[in-house]
Structure formats: structure tokens, C-alpha cells
Amino acid sequence: RKLATRCVAWQPASLSATAALARLREHEPPIVARTQTERIFLDPRTLTDADLPVVTAAIARIAAPQP
């Protein structure tokens, strides 16, 4: 049975979705997401309100231009 959901999609500009997903999974705590067509999808049903600052900070670090 499928559950209807809406996901948050992120398309990293500075690295591949596969590389960004690997960094999310290596994060402490690990962030679980999936990739499709060079975008990363996060399901908000799997996140608590307390998770949101952690996830957004991790994405900001990963998305930041690397020197």
C-alpha cells in the first residue's frame, strides 16, 4: 500500500546528488534521503521539529562553495 506524501527536493549546484547524499548519510546524526534525477528528496514525515535545524544546517554546509 502506498502512502501519499510530499517531499522536499534539493538539487545541489556544486556537487552531484550522489555525492551530496553520501555527505548527508555521513553526517552525525545521519540524514536519510533518496536521490532521483540529480535531486535529493527528503520526506518531512520522517523528521521531527527538532530535526529541522540539524538538517538545514547540514544542507547549508554541504551546499556551501568549497575553496
Side-chain angles (χ1 to χ4, degrees):
R1 179 174 167 194
K2 291 186 177 185
L3 297 175
T5 189
R6 301 220 187 267
C7 290
V8 175
W10 168 44
Q11 187 167 4
S14 60
L15 68 165
S16 72
T18 303
L21 182 64
R23 289 187 182 180
L24 287 172
R25 291 181 177 166
E26 293 166 356
H27 187 268
E28 187 55 46
I31 299 170
V32 178
R34 65 181 174 87
T35 61
Q36 182 179 344
T37 60
E38 279 304 305
R39 291 183 291 172
I40 295 174
F41 291 87
L42 295 141
D43 186 341
R45 296 177 305 167
T46 65
L47 302 171
T48 66
D49 288 344
D51 293 332
L52 295 179
V54 174
V55 172
T56 56
I59 290 172
R61 275 193 303 276
I62 293 167
Q66 302 298 314

